[in-house]
Amino acid sequence: MGYFPLMLDLTGRPVLLVAGGAETGAKLQALLEAGARVTVLWPGEDLWGLGEKEERGLLRWERRGYREGDLEGQFLVVSLDRALNPRLRREAEARGVFLVAVDDPQNASAILPAVLRRGPLVVALSTSGAAPALAVRLRERLALLLPEALGEAVAHLKALRPRIAQIPGFEERKRLWYRIADLVLEELDLDPLEGAQKARVRIEALLKEVVPWTR
């Protein structure tokens, strides 16, 4: 099976989390950080601070198990209860909702990758459900290669987009963007801690040379 890689904007979108198991806390935190409106189904003890998060308006906690019809109006479903996954899959397919069945690729229609973040930069790794632990180890190796300052550099490049958009001609803009990207990586390779700041100075000099009318 082949998977189509996709980044989802979950801001303000309803997501159902069927809780259970050690990974619940991490998955819940990732959904909240993405800005999703999370409903949690969990009839047991409050193992993940659900009550406190509910009081703060971060989620809605239904203190019960799954019932058919719970997927109505949901944008995405994340399940950590393998016993329920076949039932969830049937309803998800009927309603056209993607189901992330954690550690159960047979019932999943979507997979959560191992994610490395450097500010706006997001690197997602997946083995298509074959070996999630390997994806995690690869993420750890990439973390050693991609310095934290890379996030600062990406944020700066985003801020440059309006200025570079003033340049007429797609090919001219494309060539300039690649020059800037190479410059950033060169500085970060030389100095992972201060490279982003040094790159900003060089980028500004380059823009004054190439597009002096932009500010």
Side-chain angles (χ1 to χ4, degrees):
M1 181 187 297
Y3 287 87
F4 182 77
L6 179 68
M7 299 289 185
L8 291 177
D9 181 4
L10 295 182
T11 305
R13 297 187 184 275
V15 176
L16 183 68
L17 176 65
V18 182
E23 287 291 311
T24 296
K27 298 299 184 284
L28 174 59
Q29 185 63 28
L31 292 171
L32 293 176
E33 289 177 354
R37 292 191 292 111
V38 182
T39 297
V40 179
L41 297 182
W42 177 244
E45 297 180 8
D46 188 357
L47 303 176
W48 308 285
L50 300 177
E52 178 184 352
K53 292 180 174 65
E54 186 177 38
E55 290 177 1
R56 292 163 57 195
L58 299 177
L59 54 78
R60 183 164 62 93
W61 178 17
E62 293 285 343
R63 295 159 176 81
R64 60 174 177 83
Y66 161 74
R67 294 194 295 256
E68 187 172 349
D70 282 336
L71 275 62
E72 181 178 358
Q74 298 296 329
F75 184 79
L76 177 70
V77 181
V78 179
S79 171
L80 295 102
D81 190 329
R82 291 177 65 93
L84 285 175
N85 286 343
R87 293 172 57 196
L88 287 166
R89 180 180 181 179
R90 286 193 293 271
E91 184 176 352
E93 290 182 351
R95 294 184 182 277
V97 178
F98 281 107
L99 168 63
V100 176
V102 176
D103 198 30
D104 187 10
Q106 180 177 345
N107 284 304
S109 55
I111 291 177
L112 296 179
V115 175
L116 173 66
R117 295 182 183 274
R118 292 290 185 261
L121 177 67
V122 180
V123 180
L125 293 164
S126 174
T127 58
S128 300
L134 177 59
V136 171
R137 289 302 189 220
L138 289 172
R139 178 190 63 190
E140 292 170 353
R141 291 193 177 194
L142 279 176
L144 300 175
L145 297 175
L146 302 179
E148 293 285 349
L150 189 55
E152 178 185 346
V154 174
H156 180 60
L157 297 189
K158 179 181 179 181
L160 291 177
R161 295 188 70 87
R163 293 175 64 184
I164 295 179
Q166 299 178 48
I167 301 173
F170 172 77
E171 289 300 326
E172 289 76 8
R173 294 194 299 272
K174 178 180 176 182
R175 283 194 293 270
L176 179 57
W177 272 121
Y178 278 111
R179 287 182 66 183
I180 291 173
D182 290 340
L183 184 156
V184 167
L185 294 177
E186 177 184 325
E187 289 295 341
L188 286 172
D189 285 342
L190 293 172
D191 188 347
L193 295 178
E194 302 295 335
Q197 290 294 335
K198 295 177 180 178
R200 292 184 67 161
V201 174
R202 289 185 59 189
I203 290 170
E204 195 59 37
L206 174 62
L207 290 178
K208 290 179 179 179
E209 173 188 341
V210 177
V211 281
W213 66 88
T214 68
R215 292 292 185 270

